[in-house]
């Protein structure tokens, strides 16, 4: 269906002058060759037959069912995204299946996708389950490879053959002979014989930033150019290998740990980049421990991927931002599947106890509350989804209904035409936020202090509107659910300003030697 939808919505040629945002250095030759070969194979073998089905007035829903990618279980409603065919559904589907039976290539496609691709997906899934770098020679949880949980997710290792060398650690012998913490500051000043790390970083209160989050924190994104034929160009899929090996997340651009300049041309930087600007001794000390579908209930499955040594490492700022999945799920009866305040309290206390045994003394933990997600329906439901913009036949209301019918919606409670359900979901989110606020106010731990911050997306919307923008522009256009890059950077800006005003001790000192560090070490080895 992923490949068929853009074909169904196409009727205008792709713009050849569109530029994709690429980071070609992170693509391997194998990734490029695999993607290019697969594309040629699919188009050469199956393109004419798929076009034949679409030319016979079979829309993407019919084609999907005819190829058995989509199935209607007994007793279940028919899930469709596009308007139903003019002729009866069963009659149209039989016509489509007749074409499939006469086409050996399409029967092969069905077999290929049900067997070979399923096995590939299983292998990829197993590689992602541990949430630690796939390529990590010395097993210190840091990598020299960008994707597959590499340095897009946590600071780049500067020696993958030495387990005692990694970002965030206290310098070994002031890094007189090697860069043990990968911040690019090492060696001895020949003028006075003092190690640069001691001269520039001692007493500057270095600290790292760690995110415990979900798909919003990982910056989940499906590019509209991948599914909209009118926007496709030769460069449209140049970032697809990277995206797939990063689980369709873009942590290198996220609001918390992003280290690349914004592609949305917004001036605000990520929290990590601001920490680095404040103290360049913090270079590369970031960890994005976020996963698609993460919640307070399943965080225990991957929290051990966090890397911090209480004796050897610097303190850290930990942002706990499970902002959606404790109330969001795709189940038809969604409310009983939501986390209760009592269960959230138990889950969060378990997480905090773990952090207290792993974070160095002097660390800080900041809770993010849950948003009021009713803004999704209010601002998107009557707008056209990218798949429906050309023919004006698919709105976000249609997309939400389709996902709910399939029970794969990222958030049935908020992505629903049922106003009562949307209100109930927001009420539960408010209850869970109150629980987090109470924990922050009452609980004490040895190695960190606790803070709470509301997730007031309405303030972000107001700021965006002051700049001439519209609220819907802050949401990812394809999934109609996640905050986009601009929203993430604005949230980071709000976080920074609030912490700087109310809890400045969390951020540490501003290092007066920053200009000297830049003068001697330049970009400190980059990211």
């Amino acid at each position: 269906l992923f490949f068929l939808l853009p074909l169904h919505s196409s009727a205008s040629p792709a713009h050849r002058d569109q530029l994709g945002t690429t980071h070609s250095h992170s693509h391997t030759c194998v990734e490029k060759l695999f993607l290019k070969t697969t594309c040629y194979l699919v188009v050469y073998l199956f393109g004419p037959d798929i076009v034949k089905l679409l030319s016979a007035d079979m829309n993407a829903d019919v084609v999907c069912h005819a190829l058995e990618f989509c199935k209607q279980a007994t007793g279940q409603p028919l899930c469709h995204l596009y308007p139903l065919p003019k002729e009866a559904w069963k009659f149209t589907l039989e016509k489509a299946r007749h074409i499939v039976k006469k086409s050996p290539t399409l029967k092969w496609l069905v077999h290929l996708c049900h067997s070979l691709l399923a096995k590939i997906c299983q292998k990829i899934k197993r590689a992602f389950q541990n949430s630690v770098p796939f390529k990590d020679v010395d097993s210190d949880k840091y990598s020299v490879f960008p994707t597959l949980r590499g340095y897009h997710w946590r600071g780049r290792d500067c020696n993958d053959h030495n387990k005692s060398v990694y970002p965030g650690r206290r310098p070994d012998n002031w890094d007189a002979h090697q860069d043990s913490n990968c911040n690019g500051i090492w060696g001895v000043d020949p003028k006075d014989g003092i190690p640069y790390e001691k001269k520039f970083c001692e007493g500057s209160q270095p600290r790292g930033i760690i995110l415990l989050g979900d798909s919003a924190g990982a910056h989940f994104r499906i590019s509209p150019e991948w599914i909209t034929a009118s926007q496709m160009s030769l460069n449209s899929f140049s970032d697809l290998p990277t995206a797939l090996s990063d689980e369709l997340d873009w942590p290198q651009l996220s609001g918390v740990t992003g280290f690349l300049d914004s592609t949305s041309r917004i001036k605000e930087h990520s929290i990590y980049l601001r920490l680095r600007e404040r103290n360049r001794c913090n270079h590369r000390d970031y960890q994005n421990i976020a996963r698609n579908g993460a919640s307070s209930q399943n965080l225990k499955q991957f929290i051990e991927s966090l890397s911090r040594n209480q004796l050897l490492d610097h303190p850290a700022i930990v942002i706990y931002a499970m902002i959606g999945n404790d109330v969001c799920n795709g189940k038809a009866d969604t409310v009983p599947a939501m986390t209760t305040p009592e269960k959230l309290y138990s889950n969060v206390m378990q997480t905090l106890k773990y952090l207290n045994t792993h974070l160095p003394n002097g660390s800080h933990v900041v809770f993010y509350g849950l948003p009021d997600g009713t803004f999704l329906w209010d601002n998107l439901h009557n707008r056209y989804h990218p798949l429906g913009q050309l023919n004006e036949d698919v709105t976000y209301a249609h997309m939400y209904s389709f996902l709910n019918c399939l029970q794969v919606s990222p958030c049935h409670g908020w992505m629903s035409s049922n106003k009562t359900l949307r209100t109930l979901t927001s009420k539960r989110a408010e209850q869970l936020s109150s629980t987090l606020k109470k924990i922050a106010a009452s609980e004490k731990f040895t190695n960190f202090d606790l803070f709470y911050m509301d997730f007031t997306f309405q303030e972000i919307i107001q700021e965006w509107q002051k700049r001439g923008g519209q609220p819907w522009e802050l949401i990812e256009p394809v999934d109609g659910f996640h905050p986009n890059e601009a929203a993430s950077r604005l949230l980071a800006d709000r976080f920074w300003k609030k912490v700087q005003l109310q809890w400045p001790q969390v951020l540490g000192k501003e290092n007066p030697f920053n200009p000297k560090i830049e003068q001697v070490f330049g970009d400190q080895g980059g990211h």
Side-chain angles (χ1 to χ4, degrees):
L1 184 59
F2 177 81
F3 292 104
L4 296 174
L5 291 176
L7 287 174
H8 173 67
S9 61
S10 68
S12 59
H15 301 293
R16 293 185 177 272
D17 58 344
Q18 281 192 312
L19 296 178
T21 303
T22 64
H23 309 291
S24 58
H25 63 278
S26 65
H27 295 169
T28 66
C29 293
V30 175
E31 285 176 325
K32 290 183 177 179
L33 181 61
F34 175 78
L35 184 63
K36 190 172 184 179
T37 303
T38 302
C39 183
Y40 277 127
L41 182 65
V42 170
V43 171
Y44 178 77
L45 292 176
F46 313 126
D49 296 301
I50 293 175
V51 171
K52 190 184 301 181
L53 282 169
L54 296 175
S55 299
D57 289 330
M58 311 296 177
N59 68 20
D61 292 312
V62 177
V63 176
C64 188
H65 280 269
L67 297 177
E68 298 182 9
F69 295 152
C70 302
K71 294 185 179 181
Q72 181 182 7
T74 304
Q76 294 298 315
L78 172 66
C79 301
H80 62 95
L81 179 60
Y82 294 94
L84 289 171
K86 295 179 182 179
E87 297 178 313
W89 170 261
K90 288 185 177 180
F91 177 74
T92 305
L93 184 57
E94 283 302 317
K95 285 175 60 178
R97 285 174 174 165
H98 185 67
I99 296 174
V100 172
K101 290 177 181 178
K102 295 172 65 175
S103 171
T105 56
L106 277 176
K107 285 193 289 186
W108 187 20
L109 174 59
V110 173
H111 174 73
L112 176 68
C113 293
H114 285 180
S115 56
L116 177 60
L117 295 185
K119 293 177 182 178
I120 293 174
C121 288
Q122 284 300 317
K123 289 182 179 180
I124 294 174
K125 183 178 180 180
R126 284 195 295 270
F128 293 153
Q129 279 178 339
N130 295 329
S131 293
V132 292
F134 179 76
K135 185 177 181 181
D136 179 14
V137 177
D138 56 14
S139 299
D140 60 2
K141 298 182 180 178
Y142 293 90
S143 178
V144 296
F145 192 73
T147 61
L148 295 172
R149 291 283 165 169
Y151 66 75
H152 282 174
W153 299 85
R154 53 185 85 203
R156 178 158 60 92
D157 202 343
C158 51
N159 187 341
D160 205 19
H161 296 277
N162 188 338
K163 189 170 183 147
S164 65
V165 174
Y166 54 87
R169 68 157 292 167
R170 299 179 188 274
D172 178 22
N173 193 30
W174 291 112
D175 284 1
H177 304 291
Q178 69 167 343
D179 188 6
S180 66
N181 56 18
C182 301
N183 68 0
I185 303 170
W186 68 285
V188 175
D189 189 339
K191 296 178 182 178
D192 53 23
I194 300 175
Y196 286 112
E197 179 90 32
K198 181 176 178 65
K199 178 178 287 190
F200 295 152
C201 299
E202 185 178 24
S204 70
Q205 302 178 344
R207 62 203 57 210
I209 182 76
I210 300 173
L211 172 68
L212 300 177
D214 50 27
S215 52
H219 188 28
F220 180 89
R221 181 175 189 266
I222 297 175
S223 174
E225 288 81 7
W226 297 347
I227 66 166
T228 310
S230 60
Q231 297 183 26
M232 289 181 187
S233 72
L234 293 175
N235 292 324
S236 294
F237 296 95
S238 58
D239 270 344
L240 184 56
T242 296
L244 290 174
S245 52
D246 270 336
E247 304 158 54
L248 291 179
D249 296 322
W250 305 77
Q252 69 274 31
L253 292 167
S254 68
V256 177
T257 64
F259 57 84
L260 295 178
D261 291 333
S262 174
T263 60
S264 61
R265 298 181 182 177
I266 194 168
K267 64 180 182 179
E268 283 76 10
H269 287 167
S270 70
I271 297 171
Y272 160 69
L273 284 178
R274 290 196 176 196
L275 273 178
R276 182 184 180 276
E277 291 166 4
R278 189 177 184 86
N279 184 356
R280 297 193 67 143
C281 299
N282 295 331
H283 182 64
R284 292 193 192 172
D285 195 359
Y286 61 89
Q287 296 180 56
N288 192 311
I289 313 298
R291 278 176 64 167
N292 300 336
S295 68
S296 72
Q297 301 196 57
N298 60 31
L299 174 58
K300 59 187 175 184
Q301 297 174 9
F302 62 94
I303 193 172
E304 291 184 4
S305 64
L306 182 150
S307 173
R308 218 62 179 181
N309 185 301
Q310 286 187 312
L311 298 179
L312 298 179
D313 297 349
H314 289 300
I317 304 168
V318 177
I319 298 178
Y320 180 96
M322 299 294 176
I323 65 171
N325 296 312
D326 281 296
V327 296
C328 288
N329 59 78
K331 296 182 179 180
D333 192 6
T334 181
V335 176
M338 296 179 184
T339 304
T340 63
E342 295 76 17
K343 186 61 178 175
L344 180 78
Y345 178 87
S346 175
N347 295 337
V348 171
M349 288 303 297
Q350 184 178 358
T351 297
L352 293 176
K353 289 174 183 177
Y354 180 89
L355 292 175
N356 198 43
T357 61
H358 288 77
L359 292 178
N361 188 264
S363 295
H364 308 276
V365 176
V366 183
F367 288 145
Y368 247 138
L370 282 72
D372 177 5
T374 55
F375 64 82
L376 293 171
W377 179 268
D378 293 344
N379 290 289
L380 288 175
H381 76 278
N382 59 354
R383 298 192 60 81
Y384 289 112
H385 187 272
L387 290 172
Q389 288 174 358
L390 183 65
N391 297 322
E392 297 186 347
D393 54 356
V394 178
T395 63
Y396 280 95
H398 292 135
M399 177 59 75
Y400 291 170
S401 177
F402 178 61
L403 296 175
N404 289 333
C405 180
L406 294 173
Q407 296 191 41
V408 295
S409 171
C411 195
H412 187 175
W414 278 324
M415 299 165 71
S416 169
S417 60
N418 187 329
K419 184 177 181 180
T420 302
L421 180 58
R422 300 198 303 271
T423 302
L424 283 172
T425 305
S426 290
K427 184 66 177 178
R428 177 60 59 86
E430 184 180 348
Q431 292 171 347
L432 298 185
S433 294
S434 296
T435 300
L436 291 171
K437 192 172 184 178
K438 289 176 183 177
I439 293 174
S442 61
E443 299 295 338
K444 304 296 180 184
F445 292 88
T446 306
N447 291 312
F448 58 82
D449 46 15
L450 274 172
F451 304 94
Y452 171 83
M453 184 180 297
D454 284 321
F455 193 102
T456 52
F457 202 74
Q458 190 58 41
E459 293 182 12
I460 304 304
I461 292 176
Q462 291 171 359
E463 174 60 30
W464 187 246
Q465 289 176 319
K466 287 180 183 177
R467 303 183 185 193
Q470 296 297 319
W472 58 268
E473 294 174 317
L474 296 172
I475 306 300
E476 282 295 336
V478 174
D479 62 58
F481 176 62
H482 293 93
N484 66 10
E485 188 182 323
S488 297
R489 295 296 175 104
L490 290 175
L491 285 165
D493 182 61
R494 179 185 174 276
F495 176 95
W496 186 269
K497 289 177 179 176
K498 183 177 178 65
V499 172
Q500 196 171 35
L501 180 65
Q502 298 186 7
W503 318 305
Q505 71 275 18
V506 171
L507 303 177
K509 298 178 181 179
E510 188 165 352
N511 193 336
F513 293 104
N514 284 334
K516 286 284 188 180
I517 295 173
E518 185 174 8
Q519 180 183 346
V520 177
F521 296 102
D523 68 356
Q524 297 168 254
H527 291 93

